Every structure is written in structure tokens, then in C-alpha cells.
């Protein structure tokens, strides 16, 4: 049984990458992590990929100062690794048009709030949980959605709810949402992989 080849793009700690990679090693997994691209050379995500023996590339404005060249280099690297699905997991950069065109409809993102609430430019990491607390929301949780040109605007694939507790801080809420992310993202990728003809090549 061949597995859907997934590329993960990550900027930071890479805990979602770890969750996805762990799930991909399960016997019933229909996907494999084929490549990790990180824009931050010192990130936990790239360190994990290297330790785990996953092909890893650092690609950023440092390695490719011209944004068009960066976009093309990322596109070419994803294609060279025979990528079938691109997952942005804590990737804090916008994807270029060439990557989006090459993988149209095959790029998904995880966001740490219940979109369409608390999305858009600048809404990442702690800012998202601060907004949830400031709004007095009773529930929060991650959303997995398709990536389009606009931040956090693509169609929602799945969401998972967690409670917002009266004494929550940004950190306690972030921790509860992140734990839900680690379940939701591998589950969504497994469903896509199970239904995707590219997994049977
Ligand atoms: C995750 O909470 C993810 O949802 C969020 O960044 C964190 C990355 O954590 N992404 C965004 O805020 C995007 N708008 P990780 O590096 O440990 O996976």
C-alpha cells in the first residue's frame, strides 16, 4: 500500500509536525511525511525533521532574497519530493502564487481558533487566544481549512471544540487548543489520504 506523500511547512516548535509524523508511523496510516520546509533555520520543526530523518529544507528570505525565486524554489522542491498534499502547520509566511497554483486545492492549514472567528492577517499564535479571551467566547478550538490567497479564508474542512474556562489565561487556552490540534490535524490528513487516488499510485 503506498501512502499519500505529505509535505509539512512549519516555522516554530513543530509540535503539529511531530503529531503528524507520529501518526504517519502508525500501521494504519495512509500518509507519509515526505518533506519538511521551514523558514526559520533554528526552529524546533527543522531540528525535529533532521533528527527523525525526514528530508528537510530551510527556505526563506535569507536563502532566497527575491520573493519570486523563493516561491519557485519552494514549488520545485515540493514537486521534486513528489508531494501530493501540502500542510502548513504553524507556518507564519504567506505562500507564493506558484506554490498555490501548482498545488491548488491540495494545501491545508491549521488555525488555532474556530474560523471564521479570529482569523486573518496578524492572527497567529498568542494573538488568536488573546482575541478569544477578549471576546468572552465560551468555546474555542482548531480549524483545518484549505489555503487560498487570503489569510484563513479558504473553505473549512473540520473544526474541533474545546471549552474556554473562566480562569483561562492565554497560555492555558493555547495548551488546550494545541492538544486538540494534535488530534484533529492527523485525523483530517488520514481522511484525505484514505480518499485520495494519489495514495494508491
Ligand atoms: C499552532 O497553534 C498553530 O495552530 C498556529 O501556530 C501554532 C504552531 O505550533 N498557527 C497559526 O496561528 C496560524 N495562523 P507548532 O509549531 O507547535 O505546531
Amino acid at each position: 500500500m503506498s501512502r499519500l506523500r505529505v509535505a509539512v511547512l512549519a516555522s516554530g516548535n513543530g509540535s503539529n509536525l511531530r503529531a503528524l509524523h507520529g501518526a504517519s508511523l502508525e500501521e494504519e496510516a495512509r500518509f507519509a511525511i515526505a518533506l519538511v520546509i521551514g523558514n526559520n533555520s533554528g526552529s524546533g520543526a527543522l531540528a525535529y525533521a533532521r533528527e527523525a530523518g525526514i528530508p528537510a529544507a530551510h527556505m526563506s528570505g535569507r536563502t532566497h532574497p527575491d520573493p519570486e525565486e523563493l516561491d519557485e524554489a519552494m514549488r520545485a522542491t515540493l514537486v521534486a519530493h513528489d508531494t501530493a498534499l501540502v500542510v502548513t502547520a504553524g507556518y507564519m509566511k504567506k505562500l507564493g502564487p506558484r506554490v498555490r497554483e501548482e498545488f491548488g486545492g491540495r494545501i491545508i492549514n491549521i488555525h488555532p481558533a474556530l474560523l471564521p472567528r479570529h482569523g486573518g492577517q496578524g492572527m497567529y499564535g498568542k494573538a488568536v487566544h488573546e482575541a478569544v479571551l477578549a471576546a468572552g467566547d465560551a468555546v474555542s478550538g482548531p480549524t483545518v481549512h484549505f489555503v487560498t490567497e487570503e489569510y484563513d479564508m479558504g473553505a473549512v474542512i473540520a473544526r474541533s471544540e474545546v471549552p474556554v474556562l473562566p480562569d483561562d489565561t492565554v497560555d492555558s487556552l493555547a495548551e488546550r487548543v494545541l492538544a486538540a490540534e494534535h488530534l484533529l490535524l492527523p485525523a483530517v490528513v488520514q481522511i484525505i489520504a484514505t480518499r485520495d487516488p494519489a495514495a494508491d499510485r
Side-chain angles (χ1 to χ4, degrees), residues 45-84:
L46 279 177
Y48 175 79
R50 293 191 181 113
E51 275 165 31
I54 305 166
H58 169 223
M59 308 183 94
S60 71
R62 282 223 196 146
T63 60
H64 299 79
D66 177 348
E68 281 184 30
E69 278 178 27
L70 175 61
D71 184 20
E72 173 53 24
M74 287 178 65
R75 187 202 67 77
T77 302
L78 290 163
V79 169
H81 286 80
D82 207 10
T83 301

Side-chain angles (χ1 to χ4, degrees), residues 18-105:
R18 284 164 221 251
L20 268 179
H21 183 240
S24 78
L25 301 178
E26 301 285 332
E27 201 179 324
E28 66 273 19
R30 297 295 313 271
F31 63 95
I33 309 302
L35 172 68
V36 172
I37 296 178
N39 63 301
N40 178 352
S41 62
S43 66
L46 279 177
Y48 175 79
R50 293 191 181 113
E51 275 165 31
I54 305 166
H58 169 223
M59 308 183 94
S60 71
R62 282 223 196 146
T63 60
H64 299 79
D66 177 348
E68 281 184 30
E69 278 178 27
L70 175 61
D71 184 20
E72 173 53 24
M74 287 178 65
R75 187 202 67 77
T77 302
L78 290 163
V79 169
H81 286 80
D82 207 10
T83 301
L85 178 73
V86 178
V87 178
T88 59
Y91 185 64
M92 302 310 175
K93 297 281 176 188
K94 209 165 181 178
L95 293 177
R98 293 190 186 188
V99 168
R100 276 190 278 108
E101 273 158 35
E102 181 78 43
F103 293 96

Side-chain angles (χ1 to χ4, degrees), residues 10-17 89-92 109-112 123-125 128-129 152 177-178 181-182:
S11 302
N13 286 338
S15 70
N16 277 292
L17 166 65
Y91 185 64
M92 302 310 175
N109 177 52
I110 185 150
H111 183 78
M123 289 302 270
Y124 58 86
V128 177
H129 305 297
D152 303 327
V177 172
L178 197 58
E181 294 183 40
H182 297 161

